[in-house]
C-alpha cells in the first residue's frame, strides 16, 4: 500500500503548523523575533533569510499545497515574480512570455528588462507553436499565466512543460487565478510556481504577500537572490496568512460553485453580450481547462449588450463593490480598461481582445441568489437609461 496522501482541506488546516509545546495552544505560536541566538544552534535565523519559525512553517504548507519540494513566502506577489525571474536570468539571456499577463508583470518586463540587458519576446498566441516560434539560443525561461487576466484564456500546461524540457528551459507559471486548490502545475511538469498570496491564499483582502514553490534545487537558487533583494514578509503577516490558508480549500470551492452558477446565469441573460469563464462549455478552451483544473475558479469577465453602459452598471451595483483587487470572500467588479490594463495602448488592448466595456468579476462566497438580485437591479437601471437616451 502506498503512503496515504492528505486531501486539500487537511493540508490547508494542518501541514506545517508549529506546535505550542509550552502552553498547548491550538494554533501556531507567533515568533516576532528579528534576532536569534547564534551560539550552539545549527541555523542562523533572520527574517530576511526566510528562515524564522513561522516562515519555515508556512513554506511547508505552501510546498504541500503545490505538490512541490520547497517553497518561500515573499512580501508581495511582485516580489515573488521579480525574484523568481531574476534568479534564472542575467544579461544576455532571453525569456519568452505569454501575450496576456498580469499588468504588473508586463510592466516589470517592459520597463525594467532592457536596462539589465535581458531580451524578451511575447508569443503571438497561446498555442505551444506560438511559444516555440519565439525560442532563441539564449532563451532561459518560458513564462505563462493560466487562467489569464482578464479574459480567462487557458494555456496548455503539459505542452508548455514539454516544450521547455525539450529546449532545456525553465518553465514558470503565475498560478494566482487558479489557486493551488484548482490547479497544481507541477503535476504537469511546470518547474516554478508563483502566487500573489494577496489573492486566494489571503482571501480576505487584508494581506499583501507572494509565494514561490519548486524543487529544492531551484528554491535554493531563488533563495540566494532573495536574501540579497530583501523581499521577505513580516512574521506577523506570515502568521495571518497561515490562518487564512486554513480556510482556503472551503473558500475557493464555494467560489467555484458560485462562479459556475453566476456564469451560467449571465450567459443566458439577454442583456449580456458575452461571458468569459473557462467553466462554461461555450468557452473555447473549456476542454483543456477541464483536463488540467480541478475547479474553474472564481474569476470571470463579461460584456453587456450594445447600448448598455458598463460603468453605469458597475456604479448601480450595491452588494457587489467596484474594487481594484480580487479573490476576496466578497464579490467585486472592475473595468480592466480603467485599471489593471489602463497603461496598455488602445491598440494593444484591442489586440489582446480587451473591449472598453469589459467587466471583470471576482465572485465571492455570498449567497448566489443575492448576487443575482444585485445584478438584476443594476441591469434594470442601465436598461431604463438606455431607453431614455434613445427617446431623447
Ligand atoms: C495581484 C497579482 C499579482 C501581483 O501580486 P501583488 O501581491 O499585488 O504584488 C501577480 N499576478 C497576478 C495574476 C495577480 O492577480
Amino acid at each position: 500500500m502506498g503512503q496515504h496522501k492528505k486531501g486539500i482541506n487537511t493540508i490547508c488546516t494542518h501541514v506545517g503548523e508549529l506546535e505550542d509545546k509550552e502552553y498547548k495552544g491550538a494554533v501556531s505560536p507567533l515568533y516576532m523575533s528579528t534576532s536569534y541566538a547564534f551560539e550552539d544552534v545549527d541555523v542562523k535565523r533572520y527574517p530576511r533569510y526566510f528562515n524564522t519559525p513561522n516562515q519555515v512553517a508556512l513554506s511547508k504548507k505552501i510546498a504541500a499545497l503545490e505538490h512541490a519540494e520547497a517553497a518561500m513566502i515573499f512580501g508581495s506577489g511582485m516580489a515573488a515574480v521579480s525574484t523568481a525571474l531574476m534568479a534564472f536570468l542575467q544579461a544576455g539571456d532571453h525569456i519568452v512570455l505569454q501575450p496576456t499577463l498580469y499588468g504588473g508583470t508586463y510592466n516589470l518586463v517592459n520597463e525594467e528588462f532592457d536596462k539589465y540587458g535581458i531580451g524578451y519576446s511575447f508569443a503571438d498566441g497561446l498555442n505551444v507553436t506560438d511559444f516555440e516560434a519565439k525560442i532563441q539560443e539564449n532563451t532561459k525561461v518560458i513564462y505563462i499565466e493560466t487562467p489569464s487576466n482578464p479574459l480567462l484564456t487557458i494555456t496548455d500546461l503539459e505542452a508548455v512543460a514539454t516544450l521547455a524540457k525539450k529546449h532545456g528551459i525553465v518553465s514558470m507559471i503565475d498560478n494566482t487565478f487558479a489557486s493551488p486548490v484548482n490547479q497544481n502545475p507541477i503535476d504537469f511538469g511546470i518547474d516554478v510556481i508563483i502566487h500573489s498570496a494577496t489573492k486566494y491564499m489571503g482571501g480576505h483582502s487584508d494581506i499583501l504577500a507572494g509565494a514561490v514553490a519548486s524543487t529544492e534545487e531551484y528554491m535554493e537558487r531563488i533563495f540566494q537572490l532573495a536574501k540579497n533583494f530583501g523581499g521577505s514578509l513580516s512574521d506577523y503577516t506570515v502568521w495571518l496568512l497561515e490562518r487564512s490558508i486554513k480556510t482556503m480549500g472551503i473558500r475557493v470551492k464555494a467560489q467555484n460553485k458560485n462562479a459556475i452558477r453566476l456564469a451560467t446565469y449571465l450567459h443566458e441573460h439577454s442583456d449580456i453580450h458575452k461571458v468569459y469563464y473557462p467553466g462554461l462549455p461555450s468557452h473555447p478552451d473549456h476542454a483543456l481547462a477541464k483536463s488540467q483544473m480541478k475547479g474553474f475558479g472564481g474569476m470571470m469577465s463579461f460584456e453587456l449588450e450594445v447600448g448598455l453602459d458598463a460603468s453605469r452598471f458597475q456604479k448601480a451595483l450595491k452588494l457587489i463593490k467596484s474594487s481594484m483587487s480580487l479573490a476576496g470572500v466578497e464579490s467585486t467588479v472592475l473595468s480592466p480598461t480603467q485599471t489593471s490594463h489602463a497603461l496598455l495602448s488602445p491598440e494593444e488592448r484591442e489586440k489582446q481582445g480587451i473591449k472598453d466595456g469589459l467587466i471583470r468579476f471576482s465572485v465571492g462566497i455570498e449567497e448566489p441568489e443575492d448576487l443575482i438580485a444585485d445584478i438584476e437591479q443594476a441591469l434594470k437601471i442601465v436598461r431604463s437609461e438606455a431607453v431614455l437616451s434613445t427617446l431623447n
Side-chain angles (χ1 to χ4, degrees):
M1 209 176 87
Q3 211 194 341
H4 176 74
K5 278 214 176 75
K6 290 189 186 80
I8 184 81
N9 285 325
T10 311
I11 297 174
C12 284
T13 315
H14 290 299
V15 171
E17 63 194 334
L18 294 173
E19 197 185 334
D20 179 356
K21 292 204 179 85
E22 190 155 359
Y23 298 106
K24 310 289 175 201
V27 305
S28 296
L30 165 57
Y31 295 92
M32 284 299 288
S33 288
T34 54
S35 177
Y36 289 83
F38 56 84
E39 271 169 37
D40 304 325
V41 292
D42 46 11
V43 184
K44 308 276 179 272
R45 292 190 196 279
Y46 188 57
R48 189 167 42 75
Y49 294 164
F50 296 80
N51 63 0
T52 58
N54 291 92
Q55 285 174 309
V56 171
L58 182 56
S59 296
K60 281 186 192 150
K61 194 192 289 292
I62 290 173
L65 284 167
E66 279 295 9
H67 305 172
E69 288 172 13
M72 281 170 69
I73 309 127
F74 289 84
S76 71
M78 283 314 300
V81 170
S82 57
T83 309
L85 282 173
M86 290 313 196
F88 293 92
L89 293 166
Q90 57 185 38
D93 288 346
H94 175 259
I95 175 172
V96 177
L97 305 110
Q98 89 171 38
T100 41
L101 285 178
Y102 174 71
T105 307
Y106 181 82
N107 293 342
L108 169 73
V109 172
N110 222 28
E111 293 171 11
E112 310 296 338
F113 275 23
D114 282 342
K115 71 179 179 230
Y116 297 109
I118 300 165
Y120 54 92
S121 306
F122 291 96
D124 291 328
L126 294 178
N127 291 321
V128 70
T129 46
D130 298 315
F131 288 99
E132 186 151 38
K134 301 289 178 181
I135 292 177
Q136 308 174 2
E137 201 140 310
N138 57 344
T139 304
K140 295 287 159 62
V141 176
I142 187 161
Y143 187 97
I144 61 170
E145 192 177 314
T146 178
S148 73
N149 181 15
L151 292 176
L152 288 301
T153 59
I154 305 294
T155 309
D156 189 330
L157 296 175
E158 195 163 16
V160 167
T162 307
L163 175 72
K165 285 196 171 64
K166 183 176 135 196
H167 292 269
I169 299 169
V170 175
S171 54
M172 286 191 196
I173 183 174
D174 183 332
N175 203 31
T176 301
F177 264 39
S179 91
V181 180
N182 287 327
Q183 183 168 274
N184 296 122
I186 280 185
D187 296 347
F188 297 86
I190 301 288
D191 297 313
V192 179
I193 319 302
I194 302 168
H195 282 280
S196 168
T198 312
K199 312 299 164 52
Y200 287 105
M201 287 188 179
H204 296 73
S205 308
D206 55 8
I207 288 174
L208 187 82
V212 180
S214 188
T215 58
E216 294 276 6
E217 183 196 341
Y218 281 174
M219 289 317 300
E220 174 60 25
R221 188 158 163 173
I222 292 166
F223 165 72
Q224 290 304 334
L225 185 71
K227 71 179 191 331
N228 294 336
F229 273 10
S232 54
L233 187 61
S234 98
D235 276 296
Y236 179 63
T237 315
V238 169
W239 182 85
L240 268 183
L241 185 55
E242 185 203 340
R243 169 184 139 142
S244 297
I245 294 177
K246 284 178 196 268
T247 57
M248 179 173 66
I250 56 172
R251 274 190 280 112
V252 170
K253 283 179 194 179
Q255 284 165 312
N256 289 345
K257 208 166 145 206
N258 273 359
I260 281 275
R261 173 89 189 274
L262 268 292
T264 307
Y265 154 78
L266 291 168
H267 181 68
E268 288 166 357
H269 203 296
S270 57
D271 288 339
I272 307 298
H273 176 64
K274 193 162 178 186
V275 182
Y276 302 84
Y277 184 64
L280 286 177
S282 59
H283 188 287
D285 295 322
H286 176 64
L288 177 60
K290 217 170 154 176
S291 73
Q292 61 190 28
M293 300 180 80
K294 293 167 218 179
F296 299 108
M299 298 301 303
M300 71 184 73
S301 294
F302 58 94
E303 292 157 6
L304 304 186
E305 271 305 345
V306 183
L308 299 180
D309 186 330
S311 71
R312 263 305 278 143
F313 169 75
Q314 289 179 71
K315 287 195 188 94
L317 291 167
K318 289 180 180 142
L319 183 64
I320 305 168
K321 298 280 185 312
S322 279
S323 151
M324 188 68 194
S325 202
L326 60 104
V329 289
E330 72 284 6
S331 293
T332 60
V333 286
L334 67 65
S335 156
T337 312
Q338 283 159 24
T339 55
S340 57
H341 293 69
L343 291 178
L344 297 187
S345 65
E347 297 76 41
E348 186 56 34
R349 279 199 297 268
E350 176 72 34
K351 209 174 110 194
Q352 295 194 13
I354 302 167
K355 305 257 168 61
D356 278 349
L358 186 76
I359 297 162
R360 193 187 73 188
F361 186 12
S362 170
V363 181
I365 62 167
E366 302 94 336
E367 297 302 327
E369 293 76 17
D370 296 333
L371 298 173
I372 288 172
D374 193 28
I375 294 171
E376 279 301 332
Q377 65 81 25
L379 283 173
K380 199 169 154 201
I381 292 172
V382 288
R383 256 196 327 261
S384 63
E385 287 177 358
V387 171
L388 282 177
S389 71
T390 48
L391 291 178
N392 283 339

